[in-house]
Amino acid sequence: LWYKGWLETRVRLLFVFGMLAFTMFIQHPVARMSPSARNRAAMLTVLALSNGVIILLGCSMLAGAGIVTQPSFQAAKGLHGSTLFTLSLPVSRLRLLVVRATVGWLEAVALIAALCCGIWFEFPLLRSLATPREMLEYAATLVICTSALYCLSVLLATFLDDQWRTWGTMMGALALWWLSRQTWLPASIDIVRAIDKGSPLVAHTMPWPAMAFSLALSIAFFFAALKITQTREY
């Protein structure tokens, strides 16, 4: 099952890492700006936007298609030809879902780790604003706070085709961003603020309440996905 998950995601993982490398390349002029207050604000804005796009891309492409077989790259409509074979394997649907979701989540964590390492070495201005420990805390914040978005994609994959799951994940992310910008959410549950203005790189403190809320939301999304996979007729 682990190897099967890897075969389904390796091309997608290569694509998102390629997009990460391209993003690092186009950010290079910003990375070399002088350390003025205005340039610091511009750098943090660029990092927030680029990081958000890369992470959203990773969550929407790596979360999989629930317990059914997923083509390596193209968006699929309906059931893949080997889905019935997968469901006939002598394993529970819980195990199918856990393994597939874990494979994609570990790949998303690797993407976030590469992202954080890349911006740390590319931006001298960032190294002057934050310590290595705060960078590690920022990476942990990204992993936990974006797990809710990842698990939302896992949930959508249990009852939507691949292309609609991708669009649904993006719409969910945009809805969170809009609610955060409207300041309608308290800081304790504002996941977007926790990885932006409230992140360890900016606020120099860990957004524990928002991280706990994201973790609880991730668990709720996953158990909802499990309930659907256990009751759905394929």
Side-chain angles (χ1 to χ4, degrees), residues 143-153 191 214-215 217-218 221:
V143 169
I144 295 177
C145 288
T146 57
S147 291
L149 184 63
Y150 177 85
C151 289
L152 171 63
S153 190
I191 299 174
S214 176
L215 187 59
L217 197 61
S218 302
F221 284 152

Side-chain angles (χ1 to χ4, degrees), residues 15-29:
F15 176 79
V16 293
F17 267 92
M19 291 300 299
L20 173 60
F22 176 72
T23 302
M24 293 293 177
F25 175 75
I26 63 177
Q27 285 179 167
H28 192 69

